[in-house]
Amino acid sequence: MALTGVPTEELEQLLRLVHRKHITPPLTPVELALVGLQHRSEELMQSLRGLDEAGARAVLIAVLAERRS
């Protein structure tokens, strides 16, 4: 599953939320629900569970960069 099923726009939204400190890793399903991403909880948690802020940013940036190239 990973992040392949998550639209680019939602990954960008999550990265913005992390960057602006509106959501703080390690992510939880509750935090994702609070920012309207509860429908992606399973996919996001599979790839980002337990990662600190730097790790979550790195994964999100890498996935977004790969999609843009």
Side-chain angles (χ1 to χ4, degrees):
M1 190 177 352
L3 296 175
T4 57
V6 180
T8 300
E9 298 79 29
E10 291 179 350
L11 293 175
E12 290 170 339
Q13 175 189 0
L14 181 57
L15 182 58
R16 273 193 304 275
L17 290 167
V18 170
H19 178 71
R20 294 176 181 163
K21 308 270 190 222
H22 294 297
I23 189 169
T24 306
L27 300 177
T28 65
V30 172
E31 283 188 299
L32 292 172
L34 291 172
V35 295
L37 291 171
Q38 66 277 0
H39 61 288
R40 299 290 179 199
S41 183
E42 188 175 346
E43 296 154 297
L44 293 170
M45 292 305 296
Q46 182 181 12
S47 297
L48 302 173
R49 181 183 318 271
L51 295 179
D52 63 3
E53 184 176 342
R57 278 183 197 239
V59 169
L60 292 169
I61 289 169
V63 170
L64 290 167
E66 184 177 284
R67 289 183 181 191
R68 288 186 178 130
S69 61

